[in-house]
Amino acid sequence: MAESERRAGTSEEMAPPLQQSFMIPKKEINMVSDMAKWKRSQAYADYMGFILTLNEGVRGKKLTCEYKVSEPIEKLVALLNTLDRWIDETPPVDQPSRFGNKAFRTWYAKLDQEAEKLVATVIPKHLADAAPEVAVYLKESVGNSTRIDYGTGHEAAFAAFLCCLCKIGVLRVDDQMAIVFKVFNRYLEVMRKLQKTYRMEPAGSQGVWGLDDFQFLPFIWGSSQLIDHPNLEPRHFVDEKVVNENHKDFMFLECILFITEMKTGPFAEHSNQLWNISAVPSWSKVNQGLIRMYKAECLEKFPVIQHFKFGSLLPIQPVTS
C-alpha cells in the first residue's frame, strides 16, 4: 500500500462523517395522532435498538466487575460530576411549599447556559458542530424547570443523549458496559440528589400504579444484570437484608434501596407494581416484561413523548430499512 494511500486512510478516519448537517432538535409530536409517526420513526427504532443493545451488554454482569473505560466515558463522568458540584453550590431556598424548591431553577439556568460547553468537552474537535444538537438532550434530561418535576421522559432524554454520542462515534461498541455501569449509574446518582435536594415532583406519575416515581431504565438493565444469578431470585428483592448486602453490585437493588429510603409504609402498598413483579419466577421473564411495559407505559404514552425532540441524529422520518 502506497504511503499516500495509507495517509489518506488515516485522515479519513479522523474526518467528520460526510454531509452530516446537524440541527437543533425540536418537538414533532403535538397531538395524540402524531404518535403513529413516532412509532414509525428512525428515532424510535434507533432509541429502542440502543436500549436493547445495552440490555444485552450488561446481562449477567455486576456493577463492580471489570470493564473497559475509554476517555469519552471518563469525560462524561466528569461532566456529571460538574452537575453534582453545582447542586452543592445551589442550596435549596426557604419557601412555604414543601415540594418543588425554586433553587432548582437557579441550578437549571446554569446548565442551560453551560450545556454546549460541557458537551464540547466530551466530543472531539472535528465534531464540534454536533455539540448544539447533542446538548439539547442533556438539557432535557434533568427535569422541567417550570414545574420542578422529573420523570421517565427526562430519563429517556439522557438515554437519547448517549445514543447520539454513539451515532457520531464518540462512544463505541466496546463502551457498552461502561455506558450503563459508569455513566448511566452516575447520572442516576445525580438525579437522585436533585430529586432529594429540590424535592422534585414526579412527572406524570401514576402513583402506586406506576413502576417507580422517577426512573424506569435501571429496572430494565438491572433485571438483565440478574439473569441467571445463582441464588438471587426476583422474590428476594423485597427482602431488606438481600438489598442491603447486594445493592452495590446490582442497579435494580440500588433502585429498591432508594425507594425504601424515600417512602414509608409497607412495600406492597407504596410500590404495588414492583411487589407484583417480585412474584415472577425468573429474571429473564422480569426483563422481558419490563421491556414490554416500558414501551407501553413510557414510549407509547403521549404525555411522555410529546416532549421528545427530533433532529438529524434522532430523526422523525420513517425508518429506512
Side-chain angles (χ1 to χ4, degrees):
M1 184 165 151
E3 186 57 35
S4 61
E5 273 180 65
R6 244 209 315 273
R7 274 208 305 275
T10 50
S11 65
E12 195 152 74
E13 279 164 35
M14 298 308 291
L18 295 176
Q19 281 93 42
Q20 175 72 24
S21 50
F22 297 104
M23 62 181 275
I24 298 297
K26 56 185 202 296
K27 261 175 69 102
E28 299 275 2
I29 308 297
N30 299 308
M31 41 195 165
V32 175
S33 57
D34 291 336
M35 289 296 285
K37 206 162 55 168
W38 152 244
K39 283 187 240 173
R40 282 198 303 268
S41 71
Q42 190 64 49
Y44 182 92
D46 289 348
Y47 179 85
M48 209 53 225
F50 180 67
I51 300 302
L52 295 174
T53 300
L54 294 175
N55 188 57
E56 278 308 302
V58 300
R59 188 183 173 126
K61 306 279 198 309
K62 291 181 176 182
L63 286 168
T64 47
C65 73
E66 291 281 312
Y67 51 85
K68 173 185 168 260
V69 179
S70 64
E71 196 182 344
I73 294 284
E74 296 282 14
K75 287 175 174 171
L76 280 166
V77 172
L79 181 158
L80 291 164
N81 291 344
T82 302
L83 302 189
D84 191 332
R85 192 182 74 243
W86 291 348
I87 302 174
D88 298 334
E89 292 165 7
T90 319
V93 293
D94 277 339
Q95 62 177 43
S97 66
R98 208 170 121 225
F99 286 95
N101 195 284
K102 290 180 178 56
F104 175 73
R105 292 182 182 146
T106 311
W107 180 90
Y108 183 84
K110 191 157 189 173
L111 173 62
D112 196 34
Q113 213 181 336
E114 303 285 330
E116 275 181 43
K117 266 190 236 151
L118 288 173
V119 170
T121 63
V122 178
I123 59 185
K125 290 277 185 290
H126 71 268
L127 289 169
D129 290 354
E133 176 165 345
V134 177
V136 168
Y137 295 103
L138 179 64
K139 288 192 281 193
E140 297 278 314
S141 74
V142 296
N144 181 288
S145 67
T146 311
R147 296 187 303 271
I148 315 183
D149 66 6
Y150 175 95
T152 49
H154 302 110
E155 178 190 71
F158 191 74
F161 166 68
L162 297 172
C163 182
C164 288
L165 291 174
C166 286
K167 292 197 85 171
I168 59 174
V170 172
L171 296 173
R172 296 170 184 273
V173 174
D174 55 359
D175 287 318
Q176 279 177 34
M177 283 168 70
I179 289 171
V180 179
F181 292 170
K182 213 157 173 68
V183 180
F184 195 83
N185 210 35
R186 184 71 187 105
Y187 165 75
L188 284 178
E189 288 168 2
V190 178
M191 292 309 105
R192 286 173 184 143
K193 189 166 168 178
L194 278 180
Q195 290 151 16
K196 267 186 185 163
T197 306
Y198 304 122
R199 301 300 299 265
M200 295 175 80
E201 298 271 13
S205 166
Q206 299 161 308
V208 68
W209 303 112
L211 184 70
D212 177 77
D213 279 346
F214 297 112
Q215 312 297 156
F216 202 114
L217 292 173
F219 292 96
I220 295 179
W221 296 331
S223 59
S224 180
Q225 282 186 278
L226 285 155
I227 290 174
D228 297 331
H229 192 284
N231 42 20
L232 288 180
E233 293 169 28
R235 64 191 169 91
H236 290 121
F237 76 73
V238 289
D239 179 335
E240 205 178 324
K241 186 169 174 287
V242 172
V243 172
N244 287 333
E245 284 169 8
N246 297 282
H247 70 93
K248 286 191 168 62
D249 283 327
F250 300 105
M251 214 170 227
F252 195 102
L253 303 182
E254 194 68 73
C255 290
I256 301 294
L257 186 69
F258 185 67
I259 292 170
T260 53
E261 277 173 18
M262 298 296 277
K263 296 190 169 183
T264 51
F267 193 90
E269 282 173 28
H270 63 60
S271 302
N272 189 266
Q273 281 280 25
L274 281 165
W275 179 259
N276 293 339
I277 286 169
S278 71
V280 175
S282 73
W283 285 111
S284 62
K285 285 248 182 322
V286 169
N287 186 246
Q288 289 158 9
L290 285 172
I291 290 165
R292 279 197 304 274
M293 188 178 171
Y294 184 61
K295 288 179 184 170
E297 299 300 323
C298 299
L299 301 185
E300 293 175 10
K301 286 281 189 279
F302 174 73
V304 177
I305 294 305
Q306 62 172 331
H307 304 292
F308 198 90
K309 298 208 164 121
F310 301 85
S312 74
L313 296 168
L314 289 169
I316 189 69
Q317 283 71 30
V319 172
T320 47
S321 55

mmCIF file of all heavy atoms in Angstrom, residues 46 50 53-54 72-73 76 122-123 127 134 159-176 179 313:
data_model
loop_
_atom_site.group_PDB
_atom_site.id
_atom_site.type_symbol
_atom_site.label_atom_id
_atom_site.label_comp_id
_atom_site.label_asym_id
_atom_site.label_seq_id
_atom_site.Cartn_x
_atom_site.Cartn_y
_atom_site.Cartn_z
ATOM 1 N N ASP A 46 -33.966 3.599 16.464
ATOM 2 C CA ASP A 46 -32.598 3.749 16.971
ATOM 3 C C ASP A 46 -32.570 3.793 18.494
ATOM 4 O O ASP A 46 -31.691 3.211 19.130
ATOM 5 C CB ASP A 46 -31.961 5.028 16.409
ATOM 6 C CG ASP A 46 -31.657 4.902 14.918
ATOM 7 O OD1 ASP A 46 -31.731 3.777 14.386
ATOM 8 O OD2 ASP A 46 -31.355 5.932 14.286
ATOM 9 N N PHE A 50 -30.896 0.939 20.818
ATOM 10 C CA PHE A 50 -29.848 1.325 21.764
ATOM 11 C C PHE A 50 -30.130 0.736 23.153
ATOM 12 O O PHE A 50 -29.265 0.121 23.779
ATOM 13 C CB PHE A 50 -29.787 2.858 21.815
ATOM 14 C CG PHE A 50 -28.747 3.423 22.748
ATOM 15 C CD1 PHE A 50 -27.393 3.256 22.495
ATOM 16 C CD2 PHE A 50 -29.121 4.170 23.859
ATOM 17 C CE1 PHE A 50 -26.425 3.800 23.345
ATOM 18 C CE2 PHE A 50 -28.163 4.714 24.715
ATOM 19 C CZ PHE A 50 -26.820 4.529 24.456
ATOM 20 N N THR A 53 -29.616 -3.059 23.003
ATOM 21 C CA THR A 53 -28.198 -3.411 22.872
ATOM 22 C C THR A 53 -27.516 -3.346 24.241
ATOM 23 O O THR A 53 -26.769 -4.243 24.634
ATOM 24 C CB THR A 53 -27.490 -2.452 21.884
ATOM 25 O OG1 THR A 53 -28.125 -2.572 20.616
ATOM 26 C CG2 THR A 53 -26.018 -2.790 21.729
ATOM 27 N N LEU A 54 -27.811 -2.287 24.976
ATOM 28 C CA LEU A 54 -27.229 -2.147 26.319
ATOM 29 C C LEU A 54 -27.785 -3.219 27.258
ATOM 30 O O LEU A 54 -27.074 -3.738 28.124
ATOM 31 C CB LEU A 54 -27.497 -0.749 26.879
ATOM 32 C CG LEU A 54 -26.802 0.403 26.138
ATOM 33 C CD1 LEU A 54 -27.245 1.747 26.696
ATOM 34 C CD2 LEU A 54 -25.277 0.290 26.198
ATOM 35 N N PRO A 72 -13.714 9.081 26.413
ATOM 36 C CA PRO A 72 -15.020 9.757 26.410
ATOM 37 C C PRO A 72 -15.888 9.393 27.628
ATOM 38 O O PRO A 72 -16.636 10.235 28.125
ATOM 39 C CB PRO A 72 -15.675 9.261 25.114
ATOM 40 C CG PRO A 72 -14.539 8.860 24.240
ATOM 41 C CD PRO A 72 -13.475 8.344 25.155
ATOM 42 N N ILE A 73 -15.776 8.157 28.101
ATOM 43 C CA ILE A 73 -16.532 7.744 29.298
ATOM 44 C C ILE A 73 -16.066 8.567 30.499
ATOM 45 O O ILE A 73 -16.875 9.106 31.250
ATOM 46 C CB ILE A 73 -16.353 6.222 29.560
ATOM 47 C CG1 ILE A 73 -17.002 5.386 28.433
ATOM 48 C CG2 ILE A 73 -16.895 5.836 30.939
ATOM 49 C CD1 ILE A 73 -18.505 5.278 28.436
ATOM 50 N N LEU A 76 -17.445 12.019 30.285
ATOM 51 C CA LEU A 76 -18.875 12.068 30.629
ATOM 52 C C LEU A 76 -19.081 12.035 32.139
ATOM 53 O O LEU A 76 -19.943 12.733 32.678
ATOM 54 C CB LEU A 76 -19.629 10.904 29.964
ATOM 55 C CG LEU A 76 -19.969 11.111 28.491
ATOM 56 C CD1 LEU A 76 -20.388 9.780 27.853
ATOM 57 C CD2 LEU A 76 -21.082 12.145 28.311
ATOM 58 N N VAL A 122 -16.640 16.728 25.704
ATOM 59 C CA VAL A 122 -16.734 15.273 25.516
ATOM 60 C C VAL A 122 -16.458 14.874 24.067
ATOM 61 O O VAL A 122 -15.959 13.792 23.786
ATOM 62 C CB VAL A 122 -18.144 14.767 25.936
ATOM 63 C CG1 VAL A 122 -18.278 13.273 25.703
ATOM 64 C CG2 VAL A 122 -18.408 15.095 27.401
ATOM 65 N N ILE A 123 -16.800 15.759 23.122
ATOM 66 C CA ILE A 123 -16.668 15.363 21.715
ATOM 67 C C ILE A 123 -15.427 15.960 21.061
ATOM 68 O O ILE A 123 -15.027 17.076 21.397
ATOM 69 C CB ILE A 123 -17.946 15.699 20.901
ATOM 70 C CG1 ILE A 123 -18.268 17.174 20.929
ATOM 71 C CG2 ILE A 123 -19.127 14.898 21.380
ATOM 72 C CD1 ILE A 123 -19.576 17.507 20.236
ATOM 73 N N LEU A 127 -15.857 17.189 15.429
ATOM 74 C CA LEU A 127 -17.311 17.007 15.538
ATOM 75 C C LEU A 127 -17.969 18.155 16.298
ATOM 76 O O LEU A 127 -19.125 18.059 16.709
ATOM 77 C CB LEU A 127 -17.617 15.684 16.248
ATOM 78 C CG LEU A 127 -17.327 14.410 15.452
ATOM 79 C CD1 LEU A 127 -17.406 13.194 16.353
ATOM 80 C CD2 LEU A 127 -18.282 14.258 14.278
ATOM 81 N N VAL A 134 -26.576 17.843 20.283
ATOM 82 C CA VAL A 134 -26.478 16.854 21.355
ATOM 83 C C VAL A 134 -26.804 17.484 22.723
ATOM 84 O O VAL A 134 -27.438 16.864 23.577
ATOM 85 C CB VAL A 134 -25.068 16.212 21.358
ATOM 86 C CG1 VAL A 134 -24.923 15.223 22.511
ATOM 87 C CG2 VAL A 134 -24.816 15.485 20.025
ATOM 88 N N ALA A 159 -30.892 8.956 27.861
ATOM 89 C CA ALA A 159 -30.556 7.799 27.012
ATOM 90 C C ALA A 159 -30.382 8.265 25.563
ATOM 91 O O ALA A 159 -29.474 7.805 24.855
ATOM 92 C CB ALA A 159 -31.639 6.732 27.121
ATOM 93 N N ALA A 160 -31.224 9.207 25.116
ATOM 94 C CA ALA A 160 -31.115 9.754 23.760
ATOM 95 C C ALA A 160 -29.793 10.513 23.595
ATOM 96 O O ALA A 160 -29.140 10.424 22.543
ATOM 97 C CB ALA A 160 -32.296 10.676 23.467
ATOM 98 N N PHE A 161 -29.393 11.228 24.619
ATOM 99 C CA PHE A 161 -28.109 11.949 24.635
ATOM 100 C C PHE A 161 -26.958 10.961 24.403
ATOM 101 O O PHE A 161 -26.082 11.169 23.548
ATOM 102 C CB PHE A 161 -27.984 12.667 25.987
ATOM 103 C CG PHE A 161 -26.616 13.188 26.347
ATOM 104 C CD1 PHE A 161 -26.051 14.242 25.639
ATOM 105 C CD2 PHE A 161 -25.907 12.657 27.427
ATOM 106 C CE1 PHE A 161 -24.783 14.744 25.986
ATOM 107 C CE2 PHE A 161 -24.656 13.161 27.778
ATOM 108 C CZ PHE A 161 -24.091 14.200 27.057
ATOM 109 N N LEU A 162 -26.975 9.836 25.133
ATOM 110 C CA LEU A 162 -25.933 8.814 24.987
ATOM 111 C C LEU A 162 -26.009 8.145 23.614
ATOM 112 O O LEU A 162 -24.988 7.849 22.989
ATOM 113 C CB LEU A 162 -26.058 7.766 26.095
ATOM 114 C CG LEU A 162 -25.841 8.290 27.522
ATOM 115 C CD1 LEU A 162 -26.179 7.216 28.552
ATOM 116 C CD2 LEU A 162 -24.402 8.784 27.726
ATOM 117 N N CYS A 163 -27.236 7.932 23.139
ATOM 118 C CA CYS A 163 -27.449 7.328 21.819
ATOM 119 C C CYS A 163 -26.842 8.225 20.726
ATOM 120 O O CYS A 163 -26.173 7.745 19.809
ATOM 121 C CB CYS A 163 -28.949 7.118 21.594
ATOM 122 S SG CYS A 163 -29.360 6.330 20.036
ATOM 123 N N CYS A 164 -27.047 9.533 20.849
ATOM 124 C CA CYS A 164 -26.470 10.489 19.886
ATOM 125 C C CYS A 164 -24.943 10.424 19.902
ATOM 126 O O CYS A 164 -24.302 10.479 18.846
ATOM 127 C CB CYS A 164 -26.916 11.915 20.199
ATOM 128 S SG CYS A 164 -28.639 12.235 19.800
ATOM 129 N N LEU A 165 -24.364 10.301 21.091
ATOM 130 C CA LEU A 165 -22.904 10.206 21.186
ATOM 131 C C LEU A 165 -22.389 8.929 20.509
ATOM 132 O O LEU A 165 -21.293 8.906 19.951
ATOM 133 C CB LEU A 165 -22.450 10.259 22.647
ATOM 134 C CG LEU A 165 -22.641 11.623 23.348
ATOM 135 C CD1 LEU A 165 -22.301 11.517 24.833
ATOM 136 C CD2 LEU A 165 -21.807 12.718 22.693
ATOM 137 N N CYS A 166 -23.203 7.881 20.540
ATOM 138 C CA CYS A 166 -22.851 6.654 19.810
ATOM 139 C C CYS A 166 -22.958 6.886 18.307
ATOM 140 O O CYS A 166 -22.098 6.451 17.538
ATOM 141 C CB CYS A 166 -23.769 5.498 20.206
ATOM 142 S SG CYS A 166 -23.398 4.846 21.832
ATOM 143 N N LYS A 167 -24.003 7.585 17.904
ATOM 144 C CA LYS A 167 -24.228 7.796 16.469
ATOM 145 C C LYS A 167 -23.145 8.646 15.811
ATOM 146 O O LYS A 167 -22.850 8.473 14.635
ATOM 147 C CB LYS A 167 -25.608 8.403 16.224
ATOM 148 C CG LYS A 167 -26.732 7.435 16.565
ATOM 149 C CD LYS A 167 -28.048 7.837 15.969
ATOM 150 C CE LYS A 167 -28.182 7.330 14.551
ATOM 151 N NZ LYS A 167 -29.525 7.528 14.004
ATOM 152 N N ILE A 168 -22.542 9.554 16.574
ATOM 153 C CA ILE A 168 -21.454 10.351 15.981
ATOM 154 C C ILE A 168 -20.085 9.715 16.241
ATOM 155 O O ILE A 168 -19.054 10.279 15.893
ATOM 156 C CB ILE A 168 -21.470 11.832 16.447
ATOM 157 C CG1 ILE A 168 -21.338 11.961 17.968
ATOM 158 C CG2 ILE A 168 -22.736 12.542 15.951
ATOM 159 C CD1 ILE A 168 -21.200 13.402 18.461
ATOM 160 N N GLY A 169 -20.095 8.522 16.860
ATOM 161 C CA GLY A 169 -18.851 7.760 17.005
ATOM 162 C C GLY A 169 -18.003 8.113 18.217
ATOM 163 O O GLY A 169 -16.871 7.647 18.349
ATOM 164 N N VAL A 170 -18.538 8.930 19.129
ATOM 165 C CA VAL A 170 -17.785 9.278 20.345
ATOM 166 C C VAL A 170 -17.752 8.075 21.283
ATOM 167 O O VAL A 170 -16.722 7.736 21.862
ATOM 168 C CB VAL A 170 -18.403 10.513 21.044
ATOM 169 C CG1 VAL A 170 -17.753 10.747 22.408
ATOM 170 C CG2 VAL A 170 -18.253 11.754 20.171
ATOM 171 N N LEU A 171 -18.914 7.417 21.426
ATOM 172 C CA LEU A 171 -18.980 6.173 22.200
ATOM 173 C C LEU A 171 -19.019 5.015 21.208
ATOM 174 O O LEU A 171 -19.618 5.122 20.139
ATOM 175 C CB LEU A 171 -20.221 6.169 23.089
ATOM 176 C CG LEU A 171 -20.266 7.252 24.174
ATOM 177 C CD1 LEU A 171 -21.619 7.251 24.869
ATOM 178 C CD2 LEU A 171 -19.144 7.066 25.199
ATOM 179 N N ARG A 172 -18.382 3.908 21.581
ATOM 180 C CA ARG A 172 -18.267 2.782 20.649
ATOM 181 C C ARG A 172 -18.861 1.497 21.238
ATOM 182 O O ARG A 172 -19.244 1.472 22.404
ATOM 183 C CB ARG A 172 -16.793 2.563 20.288
ATOM 184 C CG ARG A 172 -16.236 3.773 19.547
ATOM 185 C CD ARG A 172 -14.740 3.727 19.374
ATOM 186 N NE ARG A 172 -14.275 4.957 18.753
ATOM 187 C CZ ARG A 172 -14.222 5.151 17.434
ATOM 188 N NH1 ARG A 172 -14.591 4.198 16.601
ATOM 189 N NH2 ARG A 172 -13.787 6.300 16.952
ATOM 190 N N VAL A 173 -18.867 0.471 20.426
ATOM 191 C CA VAL A 173 -19.472 -0.800 20.825
ATOM 192 C C VAL A 173 -18.849 -1.329 22.123
ATOM 193 O O VAL A 173 -19.550 -1.809 23.002
ATOM 194 C CB VAL A 173 -19.325 -1.848 19.696
ATOM 195 C CG1 VAL A 173 -19.828 -3.206 20.151
ATOM 196 C CG2 VAL A 173 -20.127 -1.403 18.476
ATOM 197 N N ASP A 174 -17.515 -1.203 22.253
ATOM 198 C CA ASP A 174 -16.893 -1.773 23.457
ATOM 199 C C ASP A 174 -17.038 -0.873 24.690
ATOM 200 O O ASP A 174 -16.497 -1.162 25.751
ATOM 201 C CB ASP A 174 -15.415 -2.146 23.212
ATOM 202 C CG ASP A 174 -14.602 -0.981 22.691
ATOM 203 O OD1 ASP A 174 -15.176 0.118 22.492
ATOM 204 O OD2 ASP A 174 -13.385 -1.160 22.486
ATOM 205 N N ASP A 175 -17.806 0.219 24.559
ATOM 206 C CA ASP A 175 -18.111 1.060 25.718
ATOM 207 C C ASP A 175 -19.414 0.647 26.408
ATOM 208 O O ASP A 175 -19.800 1.268 27.404
ATOM 209 C CB ASP A 175 -18.259 2.536 25.288
ATOM 210 C CG ASP A 175 -16.938 3.191 24.934
ATOM 211 O OD1 ASP A 175 -15.951 2.963 25.664
ATOM 212 O OD2 ASP A 175 -16.885 3.939 23.933
ATOM 213 N N GLN A 176 -20.086 -0.373 25.875
ATOM 214 C CA GLN A 176 -21.441 -0.696 26.359
ATOM 215 C C GLN A 176 -21.569 -0.807 27.878
ATOM 216 O O GLN A 176 -22.435 -0.176 28.473
ATOM 217 C CB GLN A 176 -21.925 -2.012 25.745
ATOM 218 C CG GLN A 176 -22.460 -1.833 24.351
ATOM 219 C CD GLN A 176 -22.856 -3.172 23.747
ATOM 220 O OE1 GLN A 176 -23.309 -4.071 24.443
ATOM 221 N NE2 GLN A 176 -22.687 -3.310 22.453
ATOM 222 N N ILE A 179 -21.051 2.487 29.599
ATOM 223 C CA ILE A 179 -22.175 3.415 29.390
ATOM 224 C C ILE A 179 -23.217 3.211 30.486
ATOM 225 O O ILE A 179 -23.710 4.165 31.083
ATOM 226 C CB ILE A 179 -22.816 3.221 27.984
ATOM 227 C CG1 ILE A 179 -21.878 3.730 26.889
ATOM 228 C CG2 ILE A 179 -24.168 3.939 27.893
ATOM 229 C CD1 ILE A 179 -22.332 3.385 25.463
ATOM 230 N N LEU A 313 -29.811 13.471 14.236
ATOM 231 C CA LEU A 313 -29.301 12.196 14.769
ATOM 232 C C LEU A 313 -30.421 11.260 15.176
ATOM 233 O O LEU A 313 -30.309 10.041 15.056
ATOM 234 C CB LEU A 313 -28.370 12.471 15.962
ATOM 235 C CG LEU A 313 -27.099 13.246 15.607
ATOM 236 C CD1 LEU A 313 -26.393 13.737 16.870
ATOM 237 C CD2 LEU A 313 -26.144 12.393 14.772
#
